[in-house]
Every structure is written in structure tokens, then in C-alpha cells.
Amino acid sequence: MARLQEYKCPCCGGSIAFNSGLQKLKCDYCDTEFEVEQLEAYDQALSATTPADQFDWQTQSAEWYGSGEEGMRLYVCNSCGGEIVGDENMAATACPFCGNPVVIMGQYAGDLKPDYVIPFKLDKAAAIKAMENHLSGKRLLPAPFKDKSHLESITGVYVPFWLFDATVTADINYKAEKLNSWSDSSYRYTQTQHFNVSRSGTLNFEKVPVDGSKKVDDKLMESLEPYDYSQLTDFRTAYLAGYLADRYDVDDTSAFERANERIKKSTEDAFRATVEGFSSVTVADSTVRATQGSRKYALLPVWFLNTMWEGQNYNFAMNGQTGKFVGDLPLDKKALRRWRWLLTLGIAAAVFLVSVLFWKISH
């Protein structure tokens, strides 16, 4: 049977969760605070725990298999006996009946254990405030996006990431031109000089991040960068208490392909920045070779809000460490038509007043 770890206060038995402001676990019932290190014993058995995908889930959750719900898993809350349902990658959640935060230890067992975590630095109130600022002043925003209750659906999630170190060797050749122009009393002259420019060198990259979850859009996650990796902390499941978390479902080999794309572009941009003093520069040929040095598995904090509007899904996210907020907003077409009508009416009124004023002056 899968082992569920619940974090409970030894003083009163209430549930405890990681408090981003205190950087400690706190009991909301008796206000007792705990250092994360005090709960380290919970993680000591991780290396000996069986990974979750080795459990006989078909036996434990037979009602799901045969109802078209393959990949779903059923857990039982140790506190209230309520059923907790999630997909095969769910690693931390809360019981929907009693609210107790739980961590599914098998999801981070053995080789699945992350190397690092960046704990949440900003709480839900900060995420709501950032969302309000993002919406502020947007007159053409649909009304549902301004609803306060809508903001309460913001969720804190630890997203799995691969962090790659790599060494890059590059050889890039450019074709460049210099244009000089002058004129005399009769003609204008243009001189075009052509150059072959070469750049070669080696670059070292550290902790190039790649989203390790298929659920999350890679571009959305990249737009939240950068994280301050100096604050990476050794992984402990206590940091997950009170938040959602998944284990990775994109392996490191697949993730390195994405990292390689990012590394190649960054290398080409860095080399191009050294070619100066020309009117135009184009790449003639480019060879960029990246060798993976090492990779680490980390959980990074993100606040999410997903919502639908007129059949389209809108995703918003905030970096749970730095507060950087991203997300596209929909346009209320009816409000846009009203605004255009009022603008047209205003322009017509202004033209009429100017015409009347001009007529009075001329007469």
C-alpha cells in the first residue's frame, strides 16, 4: 500500500504546513512553529521506500481500471478515511474532506528523490495581489476576470525541473558588410565592403532549467525565469506540506534536448554580440556542440491560475520565489465595440465643435 505522510502538530494534533513568510512549518490551530530540520526524520526512509509506480495499483484501485480511468490512483486519508484521487504523477496534495496536507512518499523514493527544492518565498496573498495588479487598469477585460472570488482559485504548486550544466564549443562564420556613403555636387556615392568574420570559443552553462512536467507549458515556465539558484535547498518533503506537487514525467534525456535548444540559441546570441561595427551581419554557417556535464532534479515554486473564457483556456503564473507574474488577458469584444463607438462619437463631437468655432471666428 502506498505510504501517505501527513504532517501533524505534536502539540495539538492539528495539521501543519510550510509557511513561506516564516520559512518554517506552522500549526494554524495552536500557532506552534517548527524548523524544517526538526522533521528530517520523515525523509530518512525515502531511500528504502518503494517507488509509487512499483505498487500494484490495479489491485488497490480496481474500480478505476475498467471505467476508462487508467492512470488514476486512489489513496485513503489516514486522518479521516476520505478518498484522495489523483493522477499517476501526483506527489503532494490535501485531503478534500479534512484538508490535511499529505505527501505520497513513494513518488519521491529512491532514484525519484529530487536533489533540491526552492521553497516558496511568497504566499497566496502576494499571488492574489500580483494578479490584481496585473488586471488593474484593463478597461476591456471581461467582468469575470475582475471577480474577487475568481482570484481565490490561485494554487501553489512545486513544478519538477531538470537543471543542466553543459560545456559548449562553437564555431560560427558570418558574412558582414560596411556601407559608406558620400556625395559631391553632381552625384551620391555608396561604397560596400564585404567581410568574412569568424568566431570560435567555449562557453560553460550552469543550471539551465527545463520543465519536467507535461502538464505545464514550457514557454510559460521559461517566462517566469530567472530563479535565484543560490537559494536551492536540499530536498525535504516537509517543504511540500500545504502545497501541490507532481513528480517529473519528462525524463532527463528528453529534457536535455530542450536544454540543448536553449543553450544553442544563447551561444549564438553571445557570439553575435561580439561582431560589431558593421552595417549588416548574417550567419554563413554555425556549429555548436554541447556536452552535458551534469544534471540535477529540483522542485521550483509556482503560483497558478487557470480559467476559461469563451471556450479558450487562459493560464497565469507567478514565480513563487521572485514574484514575477505572467499571463495573457482576454479582450471583451462587446466592451471594445462600445469603446470604439464612444471614441468615434467623441471624435465627431470634437470635429463639430472645431467647425462651429471656426465658423464663428470667420464670421
Side-chain angles (χ1 to χ4, degrees), residues 146-163:
K146 303 173 185 177
D147 188 354
K148 292 288 185 182
S149 62
H150 171 78
L151 299 180
E152 291 300 322
S153 60
I154 290 177
T155 304
V157 180
Y158 280 103
V159 178
F161 273 81
W162 294 104
L163 305 178

Side-chain angles (χ1 to χ4, degrees), residues 18-326:
F18 181 74
N19 185 296
S20 60
L22 298 171
Q23 292 295 292
K24 299 178 182 180
L25 285 96
K26 182 179 179 180
C27 175
D28 290 332
Y29 296 91
C30 67
D31 290 333
T32 305
E33 299 173 5
F34 303 89
E35 298 287 350
V36 173
E37 289 75 12
Q38 292 178 257
L39 304 174
E40 189 173 358
Y42 288 134
D43 292 339
Q44 291 178 351
L46 277 181
S47 58
T49 302
T50 301
D53 52 8
Q54 294 182 22
F55 287 106
D56 184 6
W57 291 105
Q58 190 163 358
T59 300
Q60 297 179 42
S61 305
E63 65 271 28
W64 289 105
Y65 291 86
S67 63
E69 299 292 346
E70 289 81 0
M72 301 301 292
R73 291 177 176 174
L74 180 67
Y75 305 90
V76 178
C77 176
N78 296 329
S79 295
C80 69
E83 293 182 345
I84 303 172
V85 179
D87 66 21
E88 59 190 350
N89 297 311
M90 184 179 73
T93 185
C95 173
F97 299 97
C98 66
N100 276 332
V102 296
V103 176
I104 303 162
M105 302 299 276
Q107 298 287 40
Y108 294 131
D111 293 339
L112 299 175
K113 180 182 177 181
D115 299 292
Y116 300 112
V117 60
I118 293 182
F120 273 88
K121 303 295 182 183
L122 300 170
D123 60 12
K124 185 174 183 177
I128 291 175
K129 182 65 176 176
M131 184 67 179
E132 290 175 341
N133 292 338
H134 190 63
L135 303 181
S136 178
K138 309 296 193 303
R139 300 192 178 192
L140 300 181
L141 191 68
F145 278 78
K146 303 173 185 177
D147 188 354
K148 292 288 185 182
S149 62
H150 171 78
L151 299 180
E152 291 300 322
S153 60
I154 290 177
T155 304
V157 180
Y158 280 103
V159 178
F161 273 81
W162 294 104
L163 305 178
F164 294 96
D165 294 346
T167 298
V168 175
T169 302
D171 299 287
I172 305 178
N173 296 312
Y174 304 90
K175 290 190 178 297
E177 293 182 349
K178 278 186 180 180
L179 300 179
N180 295 309
S181 299
W182 69 93
S183 60
D184 56 24
S185 58
S186 301
Y187 300 99
R188 180 172 180 79
Y189 306 92
T190 300
Q191 179 191 53
T192 304
Q193 295 176 285
H194 300 274
F195 300 86
N196 292 321
V197 182
S198 298
R199 293 289 186 269
S200 298
T202 300
L203 295 176
N204 292 318
F205 289 83
E206 293 184 357
K207 297 180 178 63
V208 178
V210 177
D211 167 25
S213 172
K214 294 179 182 177
K215 294 180 185 176
V216 185
D217 182 75
D218 290 341
K219 292 183 179 179
L220 184 66
M221 291 297 94
E222 289 171 8
S223 65
L224 290 177
E225 297 174 15
Y227 282 86
D228 180 1
Y229 294 117
S230 68
Q231 296 183 358
L232 283 169
T233 302
D234 289 340
F235 174 76
R236 294 185 178 89
T237 57
Y239 287 115
L240 310 185
Y243 297 92
L244 303 184
D246 281 349
R247 72 173 187 178
Y248 69 84
D249 55 3
V250 177
D251 63 30
D252 55 346
T253 301
S254 300
F256 186 65
E257 294 178 7
R258 177 66 176 173
N260 201 23
E261 293 176 8
R262 303 190 69 190
I263 290 169
K264 183 175 185 294
K265 185 178 185 308
S266 295
T267 300
E268 291 174 340
D269 290 344
F271 277 44
R272 172 62 182 84
T274 68
V275 183
E276 301 177 322
F278 298 98
S279 304
S280 67
V281 178
T282 57
V283 176
D285 58 80
S286 173
T287 302
V288 179
R289 300 172 296 276
T291 303
Q292 180 182 331
S294 64
R295 63 102 178 103
K296 297 295 183 182
Y297 173 30
L299 301 182
L300 305 184
V302 181
W303 286 100
F304 282 105
L305 171 63
N306 301 315
T307 189
M308 295 288 293
W309 171 253
E310 294 186 344
Q312 184 174 347
N313 191 37
Y314 290 87
N315 301 311
F316 305 90
M318 187 183 87
N319 184 314
Q321 180 194 40
T322 68
K324 184 177 181 181
F325 194 97
V326 298

